[in-house]
Amino acid sequence: MKKIRIPSEAAYLFALVLMALSVAMTASADFGVSMIVAPAYILSLKFSFLTFGQSEYIVQALLFIVFCILVKRVRLVYFVSFLTALIYGGVLDLWRSIIPILNPSVTAPGSMELWLRITLFTAGMVMTALTVALFFRSYIYPQVYDFFVKGISAHFSLNRDKFKIIFDFSCLAVACAMTLLFFGRFNGVGIGTVIMTCINGLLIGMFGKLIDRCFIFVPLFPKLEEKMRL
């Protein structure tokens, strides 16, 4: 079968917008957000003056620093990943403000009927895995979470899908520690978080294989791609 050619830049933009939407959906469902964004979400619940998106800036900035320490170098081009995080955080807050069922000040998370909550969570979980798979196939650096996985696995010659699973469980552990420290109970972390932790890496691998079977991603700006190789 002849593969469909898609601009890498288009895949990046689509993944960025869809990722923010999927996170907003899982937060609204209130079964627990994904383990990746859970620390930022818990931070926003603890400190009401911070939006979810703004909390993402803080968490991803810290992770970016850890990445640079581990690879023992800092390149100007690495900051593209943080720029992606800034755009993602803004789009996340935008989705949560313009769609009533995703806006916590209009519709309290978890206050909807059970069937709608399950639908939102399931769709958000699947969309999250799809967007990560797309990010991995674009040369433009994804937000810091996925850039960390992509960069560390490449730097230390690790299996990316397996390292992603390890990273997911590490984020879950941090989120559990934060929610117990801040609230003395699980807030923002729930059965949905556990489910996503267990199957997110598998879903990403599945979507990756499906994407590679049907599509090929071609950069519109080859010279830029060359500069952004890890």
Side-chain angles (χ1 to χ4, degrees), residues 59-65 67 78 81-85 141-150 167:
V59 173
Q60 295 198 50
L62 293 174
L63 187 61
F64 181 80
I65 293 171
F67 172 83
Y78 287 170
S81 68
F82 192 67
L83 175 61
T84 299
Y141 296 157
Q143 57 177 321
V144 180
Y145 301 126
D146 302 316
F147 173 71
F148 184 91
V149 172
K150 187 176 182 179
F167 180 75

Side-chain angles (χ1 to χ4, degrees), residues 27-28 96 99-112 116 120:
S28 181
R96 299 188 88 205
I99 301 179
I101 64 170
L102 304 183
N103 188 335
S105 64
V106 176
T107 306
S111 63
M112 297 160 286
L116 182 54
L120 284 172

Side-chain angles (χ1 to χ4, degrees), residues 73-95:
R73 66 170 180 264
V74 180
R75 294 174 58 194
L76 184 61
V77 72
Y78 287 170
F79 286 89
V80 172
S81 68
F82 192 67
L83 175 61
T84 299
L86 292 176
I87 299 172
Y88 154 79
V91 176
L92 171 60
D93 286 341
L94 179 62
W95 282 125

Side-chain angles (χ1 to χ4, degrees), residues 49-186:
F49 59 87
L50 289 174
T51 67
F52 194 171
Q54 291 167 347
S55 298
E56 286 279 22
Y57 302 156
I58 296 172
V59 173
Q60 295 198 50
L62 293 174
L63 187 61
F64 181 80
I65 293 171
V66 172
F67 172 83
C68 292
I69 292 173
L70 290 177
V71 300
K72 298 180 180 178
R73 66 170 180 264
V74 180
R75 294 174 58 194
L76 184 61
V77 72
Y78 287 170
F79 286 89
V80 172
S81 68
F82 192 67
L83 175 61
T84 299
L86 292 176
I87 299 172
Y88 154 79
V91 176
L92 171 60
D93 286 341
L94 179 62
W95 282 125
R96 299 188 88 205
S97 65
I98 65 175
I99 301 179
I101 64 170
L102 304 183
N103 188 335
S105 64
V106 176
T107 306
S111 63
M112 297 160 286
E113 293 186 19
L114 182 60
W115 70 267
L116 182 54
R117 293 176 61 199
I118 293 175
T119 300
L120 284 172
F121 174 78
T122 303
M125 177 176 63
V126 172
M127 286 164 55
T128 297
L130 173 61
T131 55
V132 173
L134 285 172
F135 270 135
F136 283 162
R137 283 154 181 81
S138 173
Y139 68 87
I140 304 175
Y141 296 157
Q143 57 177 321
V144 180
Y145 301 126
D146 302 316
F147 173 71
F148 184 91
V149 172
K150 187 176 182 179
I152 293 297
S153 59
H155 183 78
F156 293 101
S157 301
L158 304 174
N159 179 283
R160 188 172 62 193
D161 291 336
K162 291 181 180 179
F163 180 66
K164 170 63 175 170
I165 294 174
I166 295 172
F167 180 75
D168 287 352
F169 274 94
S170 298
C171 289
L172 176 61
V174 171
C176 288
M178 287 179 64
T179 189
L180 292 175
L181 176 65
F182 288 160
F183 306 107
R185 58 187 174 85
F186 289 102

